[in-house]
Amino acid sequence: MKPTAAAATPQLLRRVNAQSVLGFIRNTESATGTELMTHTGLTRASVIAVCEDLIRRGWIRELAARGDDQPAGPRKGRPARRFELNARAGFVLGIDIGAATTTAAVADLRGTVVGRSSEGFRAADIPAAERIDVVDRACREALAAAGTGPGAVLAVGAGIAAPVDRDGKVLVTQHFWSLFDVGLRAALQDLHGWTVLLENDANLAALGERWRGSGAGVDDLVVLLAGERLGAGVMESGRLLHGRGGAAGEMGYLDLVEGVGSSDGIASLARQWSAAGGGPVAGGPASARRVFEDAAAGDPAALAILDRIADRMARVIATVASFINPEQVVIGGAVAESAQALAPGITARLPRLTATPPRVTVSPLGDSIVTVGAVRHALDFVEANALELELNP
C-alpha cells in the first residue's frame, strides 16, 4: 500500500510556523514582523499570531519601538513591532562521551555555550552505573558553571564513540561499542526528566562543523574524527546518513585498503611511527604533539612521518570521495590544529587517487566539535517542539 502524507492539521501548521519563526529570530539580534514575513513566507496575520503565542509561552520578547525603525519624513501609523529571542528562557546540554573522558557544555537558546565541565573515567571498561554517574556529574557541574540547574534543561544531545541508529539504539556488535550501551537516555530521564538525543560522535561532529565550522552551509559534507581512530560523519543533501544499524561512516573497511591497512588516526600513527624510528631526535617519549612540533622546526625524521601520514590520509579521503562524492571533507577532533600541516600534502595527492577529489579543510572547532554538534542537535529538537515544551519560570 502506498504511504500517504500526513494531513496538515492546525496543530502541525502551528508547530511548523513556530519553528520557522524561532529559527529566524535565533539567528538575528532582533526581527520585525516584516522581516519575519520575508524570511518565513508567512502572512502578517500568521507572523503576529505566532509571535504573540511565543511571547505568552516565554520564548520571545517584544522590544520597545525604536525611532530608527521608521523612514525619514512624516510618520504614519504605529512603529514596526520588533521581537527578540528570550535566549535564557531555557538551556540545552551537549555531551561528548569518549572512552577516557566526557565533556558537557551548557548552551542558551542561541547556542552560546555558557558553562562547560569535563570528567575522566577511571578506565575504559567500567560498569554502566559508574559511567552514567561520571556523565551526570559533568552535566551538573557544567550547569552550576552556567548559573542554572537541571530544571532549566529542555533537551540533551549526547555523542558516543559507537554507531547509533535512527531510534537512538546503540549497535553492540563490537565489544568497544558495547561499552557505551549503558542506558544513558533512561537514566538521565529518571534522574532529571531530560529528553536525551543519543547520536554517534562523528555524526554530531558533522552537524557542528556544518553549523559553525569550515563546512558551514555545505550540504554534501564528510567530517573525519582523526585522533586515535578514524570515524566519519556523513551529510548528504543536508541530512545525516545513518544506515540500517547506524554504522554509516564506520571505517573498519580500511583494514582492506591497500596503502592504509587500519583505521588508526593521525595521533596514533604519529606516535607509532615516531616510536618505531627511535622516538624524537632530541629525546623524550614519542607523542603526536612532539612529532608535529619537531616537523615545524624542520626535523627531517618528523617531516618524513608527516609525509607518510599525509599519503595515508589522502588514500582514506580518496576512498570516501569515490563512494560518497562529498563537496568537502573536514579533518576534525583534538588533532585538528596539528593536522593543518597535512592539508597541502593531502590535497596535492588526491587527483592521482580519485576522479572526484573533494575540498579538504581542517576544522576550527578543535576538541569541542562534538559538543558543538550535540548542542545543535538539541536545539533542533527544541525548535521543532517549542509548543510542547514547558519553560521553567
Side-chain angles (χ1 to χ4, degrees):
M1 183 176 177
K2 186 178 180 179
T4 57
T9 63
Q11 293 82 359
L12 177 59
L13 289 174
R14 287 175 64 235
R15 286 184 59 180
V16 170
N17 291 346
Q19 184 177 7
S20 297
V21 168
L22 276 176
F24 181 71
I25 292 179
R26 178 177 54 79
N27 289 307
T28 61
E29 182 179 344
S30 63
T32 64
T34 300
E35 290 168 340
L36 287 167
M37 289 169 58
T38 300
H39 287 86
T40 65
L42 298 174
T43 65
R44 181 173 296 277
S46 294
V47 163
I48 297 304
V50 169
C51 286
E52 289 180 346
D53 191 19
L54 293 174
I55 289 170
R56 283 194 300 271
R57 296 171 183 270
W59 291 98
I60 66 175
R61 294 183 287 241
E62 184 170 1
L63 300 174
R66 297 194 322 218
D68 57 5
D69 291 336
Q70 300 301 306
R75 297 181 179 179
K76 298 180 180 179
R78 61 168 291 176
R81 299 182 70 178
R82 184 174 291 274
F83 308 94
E84 71 170 1
L85 184 71
N86 184 7
R88 295 182 71 90
F91 298 87
V92 298
L93 271 165
I95 314 174
D96 179 7
I97 305 169
T101 61
T102 185
T103 298
V106 181
D108 65 18
L109 297 182
R110 288 194 187 277
T112 302
V113 173
V114 293
R116 183 184 295 271
S117 180
S118 294
E119 291 284 330
F121 297 113
R122 176 176 52 84
D125 199 343
I126 57 177
E130 182 179 347
R131 191 174 297 277
I132 290 169
D133 182 64
V134 173
V135 172
D136 181 52
R137 186 163 63 249
C139 291
R140 287 185 283 107
E141 289 176 357
L143 288 165
T148 188
V153 174
L154 299 174
V156 180
I160 61 173
V164 180
D165 69 14
R166 298 179 187 89
D167 298 321
K169 296 178 182 177
V170 182
L171 185 63
V172 294
T173 55
Q174 292 188 12
H175 174 68
F176 180 75
W177 295 345
S178 71
L179 299 178
F180 299 92
D181 187 29
V182 297
L184 183 70
R185 291 191 301 171
L188 294 181
Q189 171 72 37
D190 290 344
L191 284 169
H192 305 296
W194 293 343
T195 296
V196 179
L197 312 166
L198 201 63
E199 206 16 302
N200 171 258
D201 56 358
N203 284 350
L204 292 181
L207 289 180
E209 190 67 22
R210 186 170 182 264
W211 181 32
R212 289 188 168 168
S214 66
V218 176
D219 285 342
D220 296 292
L221 178 73
V222 172
V223 174
L224 289 176
L225 291 183
E228 292 299 318
R229 304 284 291 181
L230 295 175
V234 181
M235 299 201 76
E236 197 278 328
S237 298
R239 64 186 181 91
L240 282 173
L241 294 185
H242 288 89
R244 180 170 63 93
E250 291 300 324
M251 309 200 80
Y253 75 91
L254 293 173
D255 295 354
L256 310 175
V257 176
E258 182 180 353
V260 181
S262 76
S263 57
D264 289 342
I266 291 171
S268 178
L269 292 173
R271 193 169 57 250
Q272 291 173 41
W273 290 344
S274 176
V281 174
S287 71
R289 179 182 293 275
R290 183 65 182 274
V291 170
F292 281 95
E293 289 175 349
D294 288 352
D299 178 71
L303 287 168
I305 290 174
L306 261 59
D307 190 63
R308 287 181 66 187
I309 295 175
D311 183 77
R312 183 139 158 178
M313 289 301 298
R315 292 173 183 272
V316 170
I317 291 172
T319 65
V320 170
S322 295
F323 59 76
I324 296 176
N325 189 208
E327 175 184 341
Q328 183 175 347
V329 172
V330 181
I331 298 172
V335 76
E337 182 178 352
S338 298
Q340 191 66 56
L342 302 172
I346 293 170
T347 298
R349 288 171 168 86
L350 281 176
R352 301 196 299 270
L353 298 171
T354 176
T356 56
R359 182 169 72 257
V360 177
T361 62
V362 175
S363 174
L365 300 178
D367 58 6
S368 68
I369 189 170
V370 175
T371 55
V372 171
V375 165
R376 178 66 267 163
H377 197 34
L379 285 174
D380 287 342
F381 174 86
V382 169
E383 289 176 9
N385 296 277
L387 299 187
E388 285 74 42
L389 295 173
E390 292 291 333
L391 297 177
N392 185 357

